[in-house]
Amino acid sequence: MVEMRKPIRIAEAVKRVMNEVVSIGTEVIDLEDAYGRVLAEPIIAKHDVPPFDRSPYDGFAIRAIDSAGATGDSRIAFNVVGEIGAGFVGERPIGEKEAYRIMTGAQMPDNADAVVMLEQTVETATGFTLRKPFEPGENISYQGEDCKKGEQLIEAGTLIHPGTIALLATFGYAQVKVARRPIAGILSTGTELLDVSDALVPGKIRNSNGPMIRAQLDRMGIAYRSYGMAADELDHCTTVVKKALEETDFLITTGGVSVGDYDYLPAIYERLGAKVLFNKVAMRPGSVTTVAILNGKLLFGLSGNPSACFTGFELFTRPAILQMMGDTTPYMPRMAATLGEDFTKPNPFTRFIRATWEFTPNGVVAVPAGFNKSNAVSSIARGNCLIVLPSGTRGYEAGDVVDILLLGSEQGVREWTL
């Protein structure tokens, strides 16, 4: 008997998944290994930055009061008493009409309170002359103007990118407390599947979903164990799923979630006692996406159709993985774009169109990436975003404003807003 399924809204499906996500712990790693990880503690400034008053330019450090009254017709002369390179300090305080030659980043000498850039001076035998007065504090980077000792700079749950690495290095974080990365299990189901290296035979297709999911996990830096391809045989599939759940933190299966006699994932969930969070979502493609949970571990049953599989991973699996690691911005960024061509299909369910976006003289324009049925592969390869067309709409014309979700973005957003 064919199972009747009631679709739920995407926002509700996302909520149900995220409500079941649990943290998988933390570890301490070396700074050089921290890129792409998620901070498990805030970054606290251990000292002021800059740690001293310094020059932001190559030039001369002077007392501003000594430049008072300088004009083009009445230039004021300064005597250079030394040079301060980055990493060095002046040998003595400067006096009246004295200056130090100073390099970018060098500490200001005692008594100096302004920096004159080289191009504002005329060289003399013993120093230089000025044609304008300077104010106290002009061209100085003051101690602590970037951040103060004890200030919280980055919160826990933030993805570590190159800028974060620079900040960690600045404050001497040779080791960093980060969230542990989960290990994923991957299983492709379907008697029709061939290995990538196999020759095509009638009725068969090559397994593209397994390699695609592995690449999506690679993009996130997530390790995985592949359990290969399983034919549509209930006992065997159940054994493999049980083994995978014992060895990994969560499991992604592709295929086997429709309502036909040869789709076994629902029966496997029942056999294992897994709680099904949902088995149909009001979306295209990927309406049969199914997610269950067993002993705190999520089972993502993604469609066997490549585009539906890809979309299901990005909407449900990816944010769940990030939340497992404590990431506070797990969702794909969204922005508005102008539709670059007509899309006339009605949308009884919310539709996610693989598309490309680019900046143009008329702003951000998004165009469908090609063939867009759920079994499409070519449009996945060409797309860099998903156009979101809400349910209940009757089609769109070029020039309409639509929402797009940005694929592959390093940093996400805090809330699911669609």
Side-chain angles (χ1 to χ4, degrees):
M1 185 180 198
V2 175
E3 178 187 4
M4 299 302 294
R5 303 184 183 189
K6 183 178 180 180
I8 66 172
R9 294 175 57 250
I10 297 169
E12 176 62 23
V14 170
K15 180 181 178 181
R16 290 185 188 183
V17 173
M18 301 302 266
N19 283 346
E20 297 291 345
V21 174
V22 294
S23 172
I24 55 172
T26 63
E27 61 184 340
V28 176
I29 62 173
D30 292 336
L31 177 61
E32 53 263 36
D33 299 321
Y35 172 73
R37 303 298 292 269
V38 175
L39 282 170
E41 62 180 350
I43 299 177
I44 305 296
K46 298 179 179 180
H47 51 74
D48 293 343
V49 175
F52 45 76
D53 295 346
R54 65 186 182 186
S55 174
Y57 306 110
D58 287 350
F60 297 95
I62 67 169
R63 301 191 318 168
I65 193 172
D66 294 334
S67 67
T71 67
D73 296 326
S74 181
R75 303 184 72 93
I76 293 178
F78 285 79
N79 181 43
V80 175
V81 298
E83 182 175 292
I84 306 174
F88 295 88
V89 295
E91 295 181 355
R92 66 172 178 84
I94 59 172
E96 184 178 357
K97 299 293 194 308
E98 290 184 334
Y100 270 102
R101 175 80 165 86
I102 194 166
M103 306 304 172
T104 300
Q107 182 172 326
M108 293 291 291
D110 290 344
N111 292 349
D113 60 1
V115 172
V116 180
M117 290 184 285
L118 290 177
E119 56 267 31
Q120 296 173 309
T121 67
V122 173
E123 186 178 1
T124 67
T126 59
F128 60 91
T129 62
L130 292 181
R131 63 181 298 276
K132 68 174 283 293
F134 283 75
E135 296 294 325
E138 192 165 344
N139 296 332
I140 291 179
S141 292
Y142 281 106
Q143 178 176 341
E145 68 178 10
D146 188 351
C147 48
K148 298 286 189 183
K149 181 179 179 179
E151 181 182 349
Q152 179 175 311
L153 304 174
I154 305 291
E155 67 179 12
T158 301
L159 186 72
I160 298 174
H161 55 69
T164 324
I165 296 290
L167 199 61
L168 289 163
T170 295
F171 294 111
Y173 284 85
Q175 292 191 310
V176 189
K177 186 178 181 182
V178 299
R180 188 174 73 81
R181 278 175 165 162
I183 298 174
I186 308 172
L187 171 65
S188 300
T189 70
T191 305
E192 76 279 11
L193 297 179
L194 296 172
D195 189 70
V196 174
S197 60
D198 291 339
L200 285 178
V201 296
K204 302 284 188 177
I205 59 172
R206 294 190 182 96
N207 174 24
S208 62
N209 287 334
M212 178 179 70
I213 292 295
R214 292 196 292 272
Q216 286 173 291
L217 291 168
D218 282 337
R219 180 156 67 179
M220 299 178 68
I222 301 300
Y224 51 80
R225 293 181 181 176
S226 179
Y227 293 87
M229 299 179 293
D232 293 320
E233 198 282 314
L234 183 56
D235 290 338
H236 174 66
C237 284
T238 302
T239 299
V240 174
V241 168
K242 185 177 180 181
K243 174 180 171 62
L245 285 173
E246 291 171 351
E247 298 176 343
T248 63
D249 294 300
F250 65 95
L251 176 64
I252 303 170
T253 57
T254 66
V257 289
S258 296
V259 293
D261 292 337
Y262 296 101
D263 294 305
Y264 287 135
L265 261 298
I268 291 171
Y269 297 154
E270 185 176 355
R271 276 192 175 191
L272 296 177
K275 174 187 174 183
V276 175
L277 303 181
F278 55 84
N279 58 17
K280 192 173 181 65
V281 186
M283 60 183 277
R284 292 281 192 272
S287 64
V288 297
T289 301
T290 300
V291 179
I293 188 164
L294 178 64
N295 298 328
K297 295 185 178 182
L298 288 164
L299 299 91
F300 295 94
L302 305 182
S303 171
N305 286 319
S307 285
C309 179
F310 177 89
T311 302
F313 179 95
E314 296 296 326
L315 294 182
F316 304 112
T317 310
R318 183 177 182 275
I321 295 171
L322 291 172
Q323 188 164 296
M324 285 179 200
M325 299 188 294
D327 194 323
T328 56
T329 58
Y331 302 109
M332 281 184 286
R334 182 187 74 169
M335 68 179 179
T338 300
L339 190 60
E341 63 182 50
D342 294 345
F343 191 89
T344 57
K345 285 184 179 180
N347 305 295
F349 287 172
T350 297
R351 192 181 297 274
F352 295 90
I353 310 298
R354 280 81 63 208
T356 58
W357 72 272
E358 62 179 351
F359 287 109
T360 75
N362 297 319
V364 177
V365 175
V367 178
F371 184 61
N372 255 290
K373 288 187 177 181
S374 63
N375 61 344
V377 176
S378 59
S379 59
I380 308 175
R382 289 191 289 264
N384 61 10
C385 70
L386 296 172
I387 295 174
V388 184
L389 304 182
S391 61
T393 52
R394 299 294 300 173
Y396 286 76
E397 296 179 350
D400 287 345
V401 176
V402 295
D403 285 321
I404 62 174
L405 297 174
L406 306 184
L407 296 169
S409 178
E410 186 177 59
Q411 292 178 279
V413 297
R414 289 180 181 273
E415 303 291 337
W416 176 265
T417 56
L418 294 172

